[in-house]
PDB file of all heavy atoms in Angstrom:
ATOM      1  N   THR J 186      10.927   2.463 -59.338  1.00  0.00           N
ATOM      2  CA  THR J 186       9.560   2.536 -59.825  1.00  0.00           C
ATOM      3  C   THR J 186       8.738   1.448 -59.142  1.00  0.00           C
ATOM      4  O   THR J 186       9.194   0.328 -58.997  1.00  0.00           O
ATOM      5  CB  THR J 186       9.511   2.327 -61.349  1.00  0.00           C
ATOM      6  OG1 THR J 186      10.299   3.351 -61.960  1.00  0.00           O
ATOM      7  CG2 THR J 186       8.096   2.402 -61.865  1.00  0.00           C
ATOM      8  N   TYR J 187       7.526   1.788 -58.744  1.00  0.00           N
ATOM      9  CA  TYR J 187       6.710   0.859 -57.966  1.00  0.00           C
ATOM     10  C   TYR J 187       5.374   0.658 -58.649  1.00  0.00           C
ATOM     11  O   TYR J 187       4.906   1.475 -59.420  1.00  0.00           O
ATOM     12  CB  TYR J 187       6.479   1.401 -56.548  1.00  0.00           C
ATOM     13  CG  TYR J 187       7.779   1.663 -55.846  1.00  0.00           C
ATOM     14  CD1 TYR J 187       8.299   2.952 -55.770  1.00  0.00           C
ATOM     15  CD2 TYR J 187       8.504   0.613 -55.310  1.00  0.00           C
ATOM     16  CE1 TYR J 187       9.501   3.181 -55.149  1.00  0.00           C
ATOM     17  CE2 TYR J 187       9.713   0.840 -54.686  1.00  0.00           C
ATOM     18  CZ  TYR J 187      10.209   2.123 -54.605  1.00  0.00           C
ATOM     19  OH  TYR J 187      11.394   2.353 -54.005  1.00  0.00           O
ATOM     20  N   ILE J 188       4.729  -0.465 -58.325  1.00  0.00           N
ATOM     21  CA  ILE J 188       3.388  -0.751 -58.809  1.00  0.00           C
ATOM     22  C   ILE J 188       2.480  -0.975 -57.617  1.00  0.00           C
ATOM     23  O   ILE J 188       2.934  -1.050 -56.487  1.00  0.00           O
ATOM     24  CB  ILE J 188       3.366  -1.991 -59.712  1.00  0.00           C
ATOM     25  CG1 ILE J 188       3.774  -3.227 -58.875  1.00  0.00           C
ATOM     26  CG2 ILE J 188       4.267  -1.845 -60.889  1.00  0.00           C
ATOM     27  CD1 ILE J 188       3.534  -4.525 -59.589  1.00  0.00           C
ATOM     28  N   MET J 189       1.194  -1.084 -57.872  1.00  0.00           N
ATOM     29  CA  MET J 189       0.265  -1.375 -56.789  1.00  0.00           C
ATOM     30  C   MET J 189       0.519  -2.795 -56.285  1.00  0.00           C
ATOM     31  O   MET J 189       0.843  -3.690 -57.043  1.00  0.00           O
ATOM     32  CB  MET J 189      -1.181  -1.260 -57.283  1.00  0.00           C
ATOM     33  CG  MET J 189      -1.614   0.158 -57.619  1.00  0.00           C
ATOM     34  SD  MET J 189      -3.317   0.204 -58.170  1.00  0.00           S
ATOM     35  CE  MET J 189      -4.155  -0.336 -56.685  1.00  0.00           C
ATOM     36  N   VAL J 190       0.293  -2.973 -54.988  1.00  0.00           N
ATOM     37  CA  VAL J 190       0.475  -4.303 -54.413  1.00  0.00           C
ATOM     38  C   VAL J 190      -0.508  -5.287 -55.018  1.00  0.00           C
ATOM     39  O   VAL J 190      -0.222  -6.453 -55.187  1.00  0.00           O
ATOM     40  CB  VAL J 190       0.309  -4.241 -52.875  1.00  0.00           C
ATOM     41  CG1 VAL J 190       0.275  -5.628 -52.272  1.00  0.00           C
ATOM     42  CG2 VAL J 190       1.426  -3.430 -52.261  1.00  0.00           C
ATOM     43  N   ASN J 191      -1.732  -4.816 -55.385  1.00  0.00           N
ATOM     44  CA  ASN J 191      -2.712  -5.705 -55.989  1.00  0.00           C
ATOM     45  C   ASN J 191      -2.717  -5.573 -57.509  1.00  0.00           C
ATOM     46  O   ASN J 191      -3.735  -5.594 -58.153  1.00  0.00           O
ATOM     47  CB  ASN J 191      -4.108  -5.430 -55.418  1.00  0.00           C
ATOM     48  CG  ASN J 191      -4.556  -4.005 -55.646  1.00  0.00           C
ATOM     49  OD1 ASN J 191      -3.755  -3.150 -55.989  1.00  0.00           O
ATOM     50  ND2 ASN J 191      -5.853  -3.756 -55.435  1.00  0.00           N
ATOM     51  N   SER J 192      -1.540  -5.445 -58.080  1.00  0.00           N
ATOM     52  CA  SER J 192      -1.408  -5.312 -59.524  1.00  0.00           C
ATOM     53  C   SER J 192      -1.951  -6.534 -60.236  1.00  0.00           C
ATOM     54  O   SER J 192      -1.923  -7.642 -59.725  1.00  0.00           O
ATOM     55  CB  SER J 192       0.073  -5.121 -59.878  1.00  0.00           C
ATOM     56  OG  SER J 192       0.264  -5.245 -61.255  1.00  0.00           O
ATOM     57  N   SER J 193      -2.439  -6.361 -61.435  1.00  0.00           N
ATOM     58  CA  SER J 193      -2.941  -7.482 -62.214  1.00  0.00           C
ATOM     59  C   SER J 193      -1.820  -8.374 -62.715  1.00  0.00           C
ATOM     60  O   SER J 193      -2.049  -9.495 -63.142  1.00  0.00           O
ATOM     61  CB  SER J 193      -3.762  -6.955 -63.409  1.00  0.00           C
ATOM     62  OG  SER J 193      -2.925  -6.123 -64.215  1.00  0.00           O
ATOM     63  N   ASP J 194      -0.594  -7.894 -62.675  1.00  0.00           N
ATOM     64  CA  ASP J 194       0.551  -8.706 -63.055  1.00  0.00           C
ATOM     65  C   ASP J 194       0.823  -9.718 -61.947  1.00  0.00           C
ATOM     66  O   ASP J 194       1.282  -9.373 -60.868  1.00  0.00           O
ATOM     67  CB  ASP J 194       1.765  -7.807 -63.265  1.00  0.00           C
ATOM     68  CG  ASP J 194       2.947  -8.581 -63.858  1.00  0.00           C
ATOM     69  OD1 ASP J 194       3.117  -9.771 -63.494  1.00  0.00           O
ATOM     70  OD2 ASP J 194       3.689  -7.994 -64.662  1.00  0.00           O
ATOM     71  N   ALA J 195       0.525 -10.979 -62.203  1.00  0.00           N
ATOM     72  CA  ALA J 195       0.611 -12.020 -61.167  1.00  0.00           C
ATOM     73  C   ALA J 195       2.021 -12.171 -60.640  1.00  0.00           C
ATOM     74  O   ALA J 195       2.237 -12.328 -59.437  1.00  0.00           O
ATOM     75  CB  ALA J 195       0.104 -13.357 -61.711  1.00  0.00           C
ATOM     76  N   ASN J 196       3.000 -12.121 -61.523  1.00  0.00           N
ATOM     77  CA  ASN J 196       4.382 -12.314 -61.081  1.00  0.00           C
ATOM     78  C   ASN J 196       4.846 -11.170 -60.183  1.00  0.00           C
ATOM     79  O   ASN J 196       5.480 -11.376 -59.151  1.00  0.00           O
ATOM     80  CB  ASN J 196       5.316 -12.431 -62.298  1.00  0.00           C
ATOM     81  CG  ASN J 196       5.063 -13.705 -63.085  1.00  0.00           C
ATOM     82  OD1 ASN J 196       4.674 -14.721 -62.521  1.00  0.00           O
ATOM     83  ND2 ASN J 196       5.279 -13.640 -64.399  1.00  0.00           N
ATOM     84  N   MET J 197       4.510  -9.944 -60.586  1.00  0.00           N
ATOM     85  CA  MET J 197       4.915  -8.791 -59.794  1.00  0.00           C
ATOM     86  C   MET J 197       4.200  -8.791 -58.449  1.00  0.00           C
ATOM     87  O   MET J 197       4.764  -8.466 -57.417  1.00  0.00           O
ATOM     88  CB  MET J 197       4.613  -7.494 -60.555  1.00  0.00           C
ATOM     89  CG  MET J 197       5.438  -7.338 -61.829  1.00  0.00           C
ATOM     90  SD  MET J 197       7.207  -7.260 -61.490  1.00  0.00           S
ATOM     91  CE  MET J 197       7.297  -5.637 -60.752  1.00  0.00           C
ATOM     92  N   SER J 198       2.891  -9.189 -58.467  1.00  0.00           N
ATOM     93  CA  SER J 198       2.129  -9.233 -57.225  1.00  0.00           C
ATOM     94  C   SER J 198       2.713 -10.247 -56.260  1.00  0.00           C
ATOM     95  O   SER J 198       2.748 -10.036 -55.053  1.00  0.00           O
ATOM     96  CB  SER J 198       0.665  -9.571 -57.514  1.00  0.00           C
ATOM     97  OG  SER J 198      -0.082  -9.602 -56.328  1.00  0.00           O
ATOM     98  N   ALA J 199       3.183 -11.355 -56.802  1.00  0.00           N
ATOM     99  CA  ALA J 199       3.760 -12.392 -55.947  1.00  0.00           C
ATOM    100  C   ALA J 199       5.051 -11.927 -55.300  1.00  0.00           C
ATOM    101  O   ALA J 199       5.380 -12.321 -54.187  1.00  0.00           O
ATOM    102  CB  ALA J 199       4.001 -13.657 -56.763  1.00  0.00           C
TER     103      ALA J 199
END
Side-chain angles (χ1 to χ4, degrees):
T186 300
Y187 303 100
I188 64 169
M189 291 181 64
V190 171
N191 59 346
S192 169
S193 59
D194 188 324
N196 292 329
M197 295 298 288
S198 181

